[in-house]
Structure formats: structure tokens, C-alpha cells
Amino acid sequence: MNPDNLFQIANTVALAGWASLILGILTGQSWLRVGVAGRVVPVSLSVFYTALVAVAWPDTEGGYDTLVAVAHLFEDPRMLLAGWAHYLAFDLLIGGWIADEVDRRGLTRWLLLPALPLVFLFGPVGLLVSIAGTALLRPRFHNA
């Protein structure tokens, strides 16, 4: 299968994971939020990533030691797709972790409204919004 077709499949799997996360949050079904979105889909994307790297790495030029080397590495569509799968897996994993943290800490789910779309689109920005929101919303304890 060519990288363009695999790209479409990876995106579809990731979107199914995000849909499971949102549905799990809205319905309170932790098996969707934690099991499917937080584990099954990121692990599946990680297996996909591992297979791509195993196949492409031996005959791919480039590396991770300089920006030019990374750019050269990603000239191979298989390695570019592997990089994309890496983003898809980790962004969904972080989205699931954020949803878990909000529930575990008993915080308002309104925090998820800005954080999750930002994780989906801009990964680390959503993580920062979540961490900042969690810090601002955590209960304050005062000495009596």
C-alpha cells in the first residue's frame, strides 16, 4: 500500500480515537475515554509507526543530529508518514491523559473545551493550556 493510502487510514483511525474520547467524556463511559481513546488507538498507531520505521529506516538517509538531517530523513514519504503517526499517537494519548486528569481531580469539564481542540491541532499548546487551567482551578488551601 502506498504512503498516501496509509496516511488516510492513519488519519481515520486517529479521528475514531478522538471521537471515542469525546463520546466517552460526554457519556461518562470510561471504557471509551480510557480504553479505546487512551490505550487501544494510541497503541495501534504506535504499532503502525514501529512497522513504518522498521521498513523504511534501513534504506533512508538522514538522521536526528541536525535539522538538515531531519529534513533529509523526512524526504522519504514513509518516514514522513511515520512522523505523522507519531504525532497522531502522542496527541491522542495526551488528550486522553488530560481528560483523565480533569476527572481524577474533580475539575470542571469546561477546561476540556479549549484544551482538547488545541491538543488535536497544536499538541503542546493544548498541553500548556491544560496545565495552566489545572493549576488555576485546583483548590486553594489556606492555613487557619
Side-chain angles (χ1 to χ4, degrees), residues 13-43 92-93 95-97 99-100 103 109 116:
V13 169
L15 285 174
W18 280 96
S20 296
L21 178 61
I22 301 302
L23 190 58
I25 291 166
L26 293 175
T27 64
Q29 299 293 316
S30 64
W31 68 273
L32 282 171
R33 190 185 79 243
V34 177
V36 175
R39 301 293 186 275
V40 172
V41 175
V43 167
L92 183 56
L93 185 69
W97 177 78
D100 261 358
D103 273 1
R109 290 187 174 173
L116 292 181

Side-chain angles (χ1 to χ4, degrees), residues 67-125:
L67 186 57
V68 170
V70 171
H72 198 54
L73 180 69
F74 287 154
E75 287 174 1
D76 183 321
R78 299 168 303 171
M79 289 303 295
L80 181 59
L81 179 56
W84 183 244
H86 180 284
Y87 278 116
L88 294 175
F90 276 67
D91 286 356
L92 183 56
L93 185 69
I94 293 299
W97 177 78
I98 290 169
D100 261 358
E101 283 295 295
V102 165
D103 273 1
R104 189 179 66 77
R105 294 174 183 230
L107 300 173
T108 178
R109 290 187 174 173
W110 285 103
L111 175 59
L112 299 175
L113 197 59
L116 292 181
L118 286 171
V119 169
F120 179 75
L121 295 171
F122 306 110
V125 175

